[in-house]
Amino acid sequence: MWVTSSRSAQTSMGRVGLAGVTFLSGAGVGAFLSHLWRNRCGKEEEDRPGLLSRVPVIPVPGLPAIQASELTVSPGGSGAVMKYGFPSLANIKTRESYITSYDPRTRTASWVIERLNPTSLTGPSNRKFCDFKEDDSVHVFHRATNDDYRGSGFDRGHLAAAANHKWSQKAMDDTFYLSNVAPQNPNLNQNTWNNLEKLCRSLTKRYLNVYVCTGPLYLPSKEDDGKLYVRYQVIGQNHVAVPTHFFKVLILEQADGRGVELRSYVLPNQPIDDKVPLERFLVPIETIERASGLLFVPNIMKRTSSLQAIK
Amino acid sequence: MWVTSSRSAQTSMGRVGLAGVTFLSGAGVGAFLSHLWRNRCGKEEEDRPGLLSRVPVIPVPGLPAIQASELTVSPGGSGAVMKYGFPSLANIKTRESYITSYDPRTRTASWVIERLNPTSLTGPSNRKFCDFKEDDSVHVFHRATNDDYRGSGFDRGHLAAAANHKWSQKAMDDTFYLSNVAPQNPNLNQNTWNNLEKLCRSLTKRYLNVYVCTGPLYLPSKEDDGKLYVRYQVIGQNHVAVPTHFFKVLILEQADGRGVELRSYVLPNQPIDDKVPLERFLVPIETIERASGLLFVPNIMKRTSSLQAIK
């Protein structure tokens, strides 16, 4: 779908709404995605070549040019990160490098937003000075601990990535709160997920600012009885939820107010052959909005009055 | 556990914290409860006779007497309902008969709080004038519809019960929003759950006010691989979550400031032999606080400075 203005956005989303639901109902995004990349030599690949090449840059007259001052003060600071609003308003925590909404039931974040640009990516910080740590601001009943992860078979997967925040040791340290972490398949964490994080950083060469919103998903899949079930493991004494999938929503600001572009990815929390191009995990933003209970587009529209999204 | 003051409450909860987690880790509350009532003629019954009879009434000097005026204006009104705070602060909606926190991911409420007393239970309202209806205040992506329930095999189970709000037709109507509803096993809804709702109403004869907080739970259980999984069905085009369990937390205010008593129940979302006494579903409030991501006791303590809870 193309979202090109506030009014047409609502119309488009209404129109594709049922399709989005049907898509999810069929087998769940996870099964859909697995199917997609397992068949990457088949017809689907022919049908979906170079999705990114289909994203034109549409001039947005109404969008004011970004001021240089936004680049020089507190690269990942909260004032800057909230520019496009929050996808939900529960349990918001402001950190040096990101803003997050914590989900006390799953013991992990609902989402984490950070802003990347060349300034945020450079600096003397070193992750050897960082240790994963409990988030004292979360009630002890709802807090993940390092013990929960020990022996679980899952990595402590960063949501806001440490390497995105070299601009300040404190900013990097803050990414090591376990509230910014979710149980992640080690193969995924160390390969395809890492590649996606690198892609986000590399996009700072082409875009003025790269806003990255990352979070867990708990997607349903069809079981033998023909019904849809959400099923996810919980680990440790505190029952930390293991997401079935992860999303990343990228809000890409072009220089000189030439437009705002949206890319949204969903990756299953399982090993992925890292030869599969990341484009294969692009999904309509509506898919993430429906599955997560979050809303991105209405907030972004308030700020931009225009938006390009990949279907 | 006995919670008798703010300080000792924290200590007690710290002390039983690990036990609470271990209890959940073993097999999940659901399995635990099923085990409990399946073996109701066995040893466990001998161990847990008449839990309620073990709840003494402890005088609470610090608690001011309830004013008669609280009984005469808007029996279920929001000002009254919020007296003991909210167990979470996300997506709060104020209705004539209750206050609720909506969970857009599961398409149902996280919790619903209402206040019952003799005044709220009497009046000319009739449920034949009520129809279940979509909640327009919820974004269409995250809203349950009547179609989602049709043919699903689940009842539209009220969280705040209709019969609790006979004092006003509008108050009763408001309980028919699908945001105050969750998919419920029909046998449970029509028998044991109904009995629990009747118990809440009957308690208004003994207590000045009966605050009832109701919500869904999604509890883990151990599968064949020895690991814990949360697994729940989703129904309809909008993937409305079917809770594995439901909770009710009752905050019972005694007349003349003689004390506040807490009773918390967890029922599995499955048929229950209605000969099983409701006392068998009493659980420590901590169990619900851990599993739901909600907090009841800290808020109540702010108001009462003292509290009695059933272990």
Side-chain angles (χ1 to χ4, degrees), chain A residues 57-73:
Chain A
V57 175
I58 301 173
V60 184
L63 188 69
I66 305 300
Q67 300 302 309
S69 61
E70 288 197 44
L71 287 172
T72 52
V73 183

mmCIF file with all atom_site columns, all heavy atoms in Angstrom, chain A residues 57-73:
data_model
loop_
_atom_site.group_PDB
_atom_site.id
_atom_site.type_symbol
_atom_site.label_atom_id
_atom_site.label_alt_id
_atom_site.label_comp_id
_atom_site.label_asym_id
_atom_site.label_entity_id
_atom_site.label_seq_id
_atom_site.pdbx_PDB_ins_code
_atom_site.Cartn_x
_atom_site.Cartn_y
_atom_site.Cartn_z
_atom_site.occupancy
_atom_site.B_iso_or_equiv
_atom_site.pdbx_formal_charge
_atom_site.auth_seq_id
_atom_site.auth_comp_id
_atom_site.auth_asym_id
_atom_site.auth_atom_id
_atom_site.pdbx_PDB_model_num
ATOM 1   N N   . VAL A 1 57 ? 10.738 8.496  -3.980 1.00 0.00 ? 57 VAL A N   1
ATOM 2   C CA  . VAL A 1 57 ? 10.822 9.580  -3.018 1.00 0.00 ? 57 VAL A CA  1
ATOM 3   C C   . VAL A 1 57 ? 9.865  10.675 -3.473 1.00 0.00 ? 57 VAL A C   1
ATOM 4   O O   . VAL A 1 57 ? 10.035 11.273 -4.525 1.00 0.00 ? 57 VAL A O   1
ATOM 5   C CB  . VAL A 1 57 ? 12.254 10.116 -2.938 1.00 0.00 ? 57 VAL A CB  1
ATOM 6   C CG1 . VAL A 1 57 ? 12.306 11.330 -2.020 1.00 0.00 ? 57 VAL A CG1 1
ATOM 7   C CG2 . VAL A 1 57 ? 13.178 9.026  -2.436 1.00 0.00 ? 57 VAL A CG2 1
ATOM 8   N N   . ILE A 1 58 ? 8.832  10.871 -2.695 1.00 0.00 ? 58 ILE A N   1
ATOM 9   C CA  . ILE A 1 58 ? 7.802  11.851 -3.061 1.00 0.00 ? 58 ILE A CA  1
ATOM 10  C C   . ILE A 1 58 ? 8.074  13.152 -2.310 1.00 0.00 ? 58 ILE A C   1
ATOM 11  O O   . ILE A 1 58 ? 8.229  13.137 -1.087 1.00 0.00 ? 58 ILE A O   1
ATOM 12  C CB  . ILE A 1 58 ? 6.399  11.319 -2.700 1.00 0.00 ? 58 ILE A CB  1
ATOM 13  C CG1 . ILE A 1 58 ? 6.159  9.999  -3.438 1.00 0.00 ? 58 ILE A CG1 1
ATOM 14  C CG2 . ILE A 1 58 ? 5.325  12.348 -3.026 1.00 0.00 ? 58 ILE A CG2 1
ATOM 15  C CD1 . ILE A 1 58 ? 4.888  9.291  -3.032 1.00 0.00 ? 58 ILE A CD1 1
ATOM 16  N N   . PRO A 1 59 ? 8.168  14.257 -3.009 1.00 0.00 ? 59 PRO A N   1
ATOM 17  C CA  . PRO A 1 59 ? 8.409  15.525 -2.324 1.00 0.00 ? 59 PRO A CA  1
ATOM 18  C C   . PRO A 1 59 ? 7.266  15.845 -1.365 1.00 0.00 ? 59 PRO A C   1
ATOM 19  O O   . PRO A 1 59 ? 6.102  15.591 -1.673 1.00 0.00 ? 59 PRO A O   1
ATOM 20  C CB  . PRO A 1 59 ? 8.443  16.555 -3.466 1.00 0.00 ? 59 PRO A CB  1
ATOM 21  C CG  . PRO A 1 59 ? 8.636  15.771 -4.703 1.00 0.00 ? 59 PRO A CG  1
ATOM 22  C CD  . PRO A 1 59 ? 8.010  14.435 -4.450 1.00 0.00 ? 59 PRO A CD  1
ATOM 23  N N   . VAL A 1 60 ? 7.606  16.356 -0.196 1.00 0.00 ? 60 VAL A N   1
ATOM 24  C CA  . VAL A 1 60 ? 6.595  16.696 0.796  1.00 0.00 ? 60 VAL A CA  1
ATOM 25  C C   . VAL A 1 60 ? 6.737  18.177 1.098  1.00 0.00 ? 60 VAL A C   1
ATOM 26  O O   . VAL A 1 60 ? 7.525  18.579 1.947  1.00 0.00 ? 60 VAL A O   1
ATOM 27  C CB  . VAL A 1 60 ? 6.798  15.867 2.082  1.00 0.00 ? 60 VAL A CB  1
ATOM 28  C CG1 . VAL A 1 60 ? 5.671  16.163 3.058  1.00 0.00 ? 60 VAL A CG1 1
ATOM 29  C CG2 . VAL A 1 60 ? 6.871  14.390 1.751  1.00 0.00 ? 60 VAL A CG2 1
ATOM 30  N N   . PRO A 1 61 ? 5.968  19.008 0.423  1.00 0.00 ? 61 PRO A N   1
ATOM 31  C CA  . PRO A 1 61 ? 6.142  20.455 0.583  1.00 0.00 ? 61 PRO A CA  1
ATOM 32  C C   . PRO A 1 61 ? 5.927  20.927 2.020  1.00 0.00 ? 61 PRO A C   1
ATOM 33  O O   . PRO A 1 61 ? 6.569  21.840 2.491  1.00 0.00 ? 61 PRO A O   1
ATOM 34  C CB  . PRO A 1 61 ? 5.070  21.052 -0.337 1.00 0.00 ? 61 PRO A CB  1
ATOM 35  C CG  . PRO A 1 61 ? 4.607  19.927 -1.198 1.00 0.00 ? 61 PRO A CG  1
ATOM 36  C CD  . PRO A 1 61 ? 4.862  18.677 -0.459 1.00 0.00 ? 61 PRO A CD  1
ATOM 37  N N   . GLY A 1 62 ? 5.002  20.263 2.714  1.00 0.00 ? 62 GLY A N   1
ATOM 38  C CA  . GLY A 1 62 ? 4.640  20.747 4.044  1.00 0.00 ? 62 GLY A CA  1
ATOM 39  C C   . GLY A 1 62 ? 5.663  20.457 5.125  1.00 0.00 ? 62 GLY A C   1
ATOM 40  O O   . GLY A 1 62 ? 5.579  20.988 6.224  1.00 0.00 ? 62 GLY A O   1
ATOM 41  N N   . LEU A 1 63 ? 6.628  19.609 4.867  1.00 0.00 ? 63 LEU A N   1
ATOM 42  C CA  . LEU A 1 63 ? 7.555  19.183 5.922  1.00 0.00 ? 63 LEU A CA  1
ATOM 43  C C   . LEU A 1 63 ? 8.698  20.183 6.066  1.00 0.00 ? 63 LEU A C   1
ATOM 44  O O   . LEU A 1 63 ? 9.455  20.411 5.130  1.00 0.00 ? 63 LEU A O   1
ATOM 45  C CB  . LEU A 1 63 ? 8.119  17.814 5.579  1.00 0.00 ? 63 LEU A CB  1
ATOM 46  C CG  . LEU A 1 63 ? 8.958  17.149 6.660  1.00 0.00 ? 63 LEU A CG  1
ATOM 47  C CD1 . LEU A 1 63 ? 8.083  16.742 7.838  1.00 0.00 ? 63 LEU A CD1 1
ATOM 48  C CD2 . LEU A 1 63 ? 9.688  15.945 6.102  1.00 0.00 ? 63 LEU A CD2 1
ATOM 49  N N   . PRO A 1 64 ? 8.853  20.790 7.214  1.00 0.00 ? 64 PRO A N   1
ATOM 50  C CA  . PRO A 1 64 ? 9.932  21.773 7.378  1.00 0.00 ? 64 PRO A CA  1
ATOM 51  C C   . PRO A 1 64 ? 11.297 21.093 7.320  1.00 0.00 ? 64 PRO A C   1
ATOM 52  O O   . PRO A 1 64 ? 11.449 19.935 7.707  1.00 0.00 ? 64 PRO A O   1
ATOM 53  C CB  . PRO A 1 64 ? 9.671  22.345 8.773  1.00 0.00 ? 64 PRO A CB  1
ATOM 54  C CG  . PRO A 1 64 ? 8.897  21.286 9.482  1.00 0.00 ? 64 PRO A CG  1
ATOM 55  C CD  . PRO A 1 64 ? 8.104  20.569 8.438  1.00 0.00 ? 64 PRO A CD  1
ATOM 56  N N   . ALA A 1 65 ? 12.276 21.819 6.815  1.00 0.00 ? 65 ALA A N   1
ATOM 57  C CA  . ALA A 1 65 ? 13.634 21.281 6.761  1.00 0.00 ? 65 ALA A CA  1
ATOM 58  C C   . ALA A 1 65 ? 14.141 21.056 8.186  1.00 0.00 ? 65 ALA A C   1
ATOM 59  O O   . ALA A 1 65 ? 13.821 21.806 9.101  1.00 0.00 ? 65 ALA A O   1
ATOM 60  C CB  . ALA A 1 65 ? 14.539 22.254 6.025  1.00 0.00 ? 65 ALA A CB  1
ATOM 61  N N   . ILE A 1 66 ? 14.894 19.996 8.357  1.00 0.00 ? 66 ILE A N   1
ATOM 62  C CA  . ILE A 1 66 ? 15.452 19.696 9.677  1.00 0.00 ? 66 ILE A CA  1
ATOM 63  C C   . ILE A 1 66 ? 16.564 20.699 9.989  1.00 0.00 ? 66 ILE A C   1
ATOM 64  O O   . ILE A 1 66 ? 17.379 21.021 9.119  1.00 0.00 ? 66 ILE A O   1
ATOM 65  C CB  . ILE A 1 66 ? 16.025 18.267 9.684  1.00 0.00 ? 66 ILE A CB  1
ATOM 66  C CG1 . ILE A 1 66 ? 14.963 17.263 9.246  1.00 0.00 ? 66 ILE A CG1 1
ATOM 67  C CG2 . ILE A 1 66 ? 16.591 17.917 11.051 1.00 0.00 ? 66 ILE A CG2 1
ATOM 68  C CD1 . ILE A 1 66 ? 13.738 17.209 10.108 1.00 0.00 ? 66 ILE A CD1 1
ATOM 69  N N   . GLN A 1 67 ? 16.566 21.202 11.203 1.00 0.00 ? 67 GLN A N   1
ATOM 70  C CA  . GLN A 1 67 ? 17.607 22.146 11.603 1.00 0.00 ? 67 GLN A CA  1
ATOM 71  C C   . GLN A 1 67 ? 18.879 21.403 11.984 1.00 0.00 ? 67 GLN A C   1
ATOM 72  O O   . GLN A 1 67 ? 18.829 20.335 12.587 1.00 0.00 ? 67 GLN A O   1
ATOM 73  C CB  . GLN A 1 67 ? 17.130 22.965 12.815 1.00 0.00 ? 67 GLN A CB  1
ATOM 74  C CG  . GLN A 1 67 ? 15.871 23.781 12.555 1.00 0.00 ? 67 GLN A CG  1
ATOM 75  C CD  . GLN A 1 67 ? 16.047 24.760 11.398 1.00 0.00 ? 67 GLN A CD  1
ATOM 76  O OE1 . GLN A 1 67 ? 17.001 25.524 11.364 1.00 0.00 ? 67 GLN A OE1 1
ATOM 77  N NE2 . GLN A 1 67 ? 15.140 24.723 10.431 1.00 0.00 ? 67 GLN A NE2 1
ATOM 78  N N   . ALA A 1 68 ? 20.018 22.014 11.651 1.00 0.00 ? 68 ALA A N   1
ATOM 79  C CA  . ALA A 1 68 ? 21.299 21.388 11.978 1.00 0.00 ? 68 ALA A CA  1
ATOM 80  C C   . ALA A 1 68 ? 21.437 21.194 13.481 1.00 0.00 ? 68 ALA A C   1
ATOM 81  O O   . ALA A 1 68 ? 22.066 20.246 13.944 1.00 0.00 ? 68 ALA A O   1
ATOM 82  C CB  . ALA A 1 68 ? 22.444 22.244 11.455 1.00 0.00 ? 68 ALA A CB  1
ATOM 83  N N   . SER A 1 69 ? 20.765 22.055 14.270 1.00 0.00 ? 69 SER A N   1
ATOM 84  C CA  . SER A 1 69 ? 20.887 21.949 15.724 1.00 0.00 ? 69 SER A CA  1
ATOM 85  C C   . SER A 1 69 ? 20.381 20.611 16.237 1.00 0.00 ? 69 SER A C   1
ATOM 86  O O   . SER A 1 69 ? 20.819 20.124 17.275 1.00 0.00 ? 69 SER A O   1
ATOM 87  C CB  . SER A 1 69 ? 20.110 23.085 16.392 1.00 0.00 ? 69 SER A CB  1
ATOM 88  O OG  . SER A 1 69 ? 18.736 22.983 16.050 1.00 0.00 ? 69 SER A OG  1
ATOM 89  N N   . GLU A 1 70 ? 19.466 20.000 15.497 1.00 0.00 ? 70 GLU A N   1
ATOM 90  C CA  . GLU A 1 70 ? 18.934 18.705 15.942 1.00 0.00 ? 70 GLU A CA  1
ATOM 91  C C   . GLU A 1 70 ? 19.999 17.617 15.909 1.00 0.00 ? 70 GLU A C   1
ATOM 92  O O   . GLU A 1 70 ? 19.832 16.553 16.473 1.00 0.00 ? 70 GLU A O   1
ATOM 93  C CB  . GLU A 1 70 ? 17.738 18.289 15.071 1.00 0.00 ? 70 GLU A CB  1
ATOM 94  C CG  . GLU A 1 70 ? 16.495 19.117 15.323 1.00 0.00 ? 70 GLU A CG  1
ATOM 95  C CD  . GLU A 1 70 ? 15.248 18.432 14.786 1.00 0.00 ? 70 GLU A CD  1
ATOM 96  O OE1 . GLU A 1 70 ? 15.103 17.220 15.000 1.00 0.00 ? 70 GLU A OE1 1
ATOM 97  O OE2 . GLU A 1 70 ? 14.433 19.110 14.140 1.00 0.00 ? 70 GLU A OE2 1
ATOM 98  N N   . LEU A 1 71 ? 21.054 17.876 15.176 1.00 0.00 ? 71 LEU A N   1
ATOM 99  C CA  . LEU A 1 71 ? 22.104 16.872 15.035 1.00 0.00 ? 71 LEU A CA  1
ATOM 100 C C   . LEU A 1 71 ? 23.196 17.010 16.077 1.00 0.00 ? 71 LEU A C   1
ATOM 101 O O   . LEU A 1 71 ? 23.974 16.095 16.282 1.00 0.00 ? 71 LEU A O   1
ATOM 102 C CB  . LEU A 1 71 ? 22.758 16.984 13.644 1.00 0.00 ? 71 LEU A CB  1
ATOM 103 C CG  . LEU A 1 71 ? 21.926 16.480 12.488 1.00 0.00 ? 71 LEU A CG  1
ATOM 104 C CD1 . LEU A 1 71 ? 22.614 16.825 11.174 1.00 0.00 ? 71 LEU A CD1 1
ATOM 105 C CD2 . LEU A 1 71 ? 21.734 14.978 12.612 1.00 0.00 ? 71 LEU A CD2 1
ATOM 106 N N   . THR A 1 72 ? 23.276 18.150 16.719 1.00 0.00 ? 72 THR A N   1
ATOM 107 C CA  . THR A 1 72 ? 24.467 18.418 17.522 1.00 0.00 ? 72 THR A CA  1
ATOM 108 C C   . THR A 1 72 ? 24.262 18.230 19.018 1.00 0.00 ? 72 THR A C   1
ATOM 109 O O   . THR A 1 72 ? 25.204 18.070 19.759 1.00 0.00 ? 72 THR A O   1
ATOM 110 C CB  . THR A 1 72 ? 24.965 19.856 17.267 1.00 0.00 ? 72 THR A CB  1
ATOM 111 O OG1 . THR A 1 72 ? 23.859 20.746 17.463 1.00 0.00 ? 72 THR A OG1 1
ATOM 112 C CG2 . THR A 1 72 ? 25.477 20.004 15.849 1.00 0.00 ? 72 THR A CG2 1
ATOM 113 N N   . VAL A 1 73 ? 23.011 18.222 19.468 1.00 0.00 ? 73 VAL A N   1
ATOM 114 C CA  . VAL A 1 73 ? 22.766 18.103 20.912 1.00 0.00 ? 73 VAL A CA  1
ATOM 115 C C   . VAL A 1 73 ? 22.181 16.727 21.222 1.00 0.00 ? 73 VAL A C   1
ATOM 116 O O   . VAL A 1 73 ? 21.175 16.338 20.637 1.00 0.00 ? 73 VAL A O   1
ATOM 117 C CB  . VAL A 1 73 ? 21.812 19.211 21.394 1.00 0.00 ? 73 VAL A CB  1
ATOM 118 C CG1 . VAL A 1 73 ? 21.626 19.121 22.903 1.00 0.00 ? 73 VAL A CG1 1
ATOM 119 C CG2 . VAL A 1 73 ? 22.339 20.577 20.999 1.00 0.00 ? 73 VAL A CG2 1
#
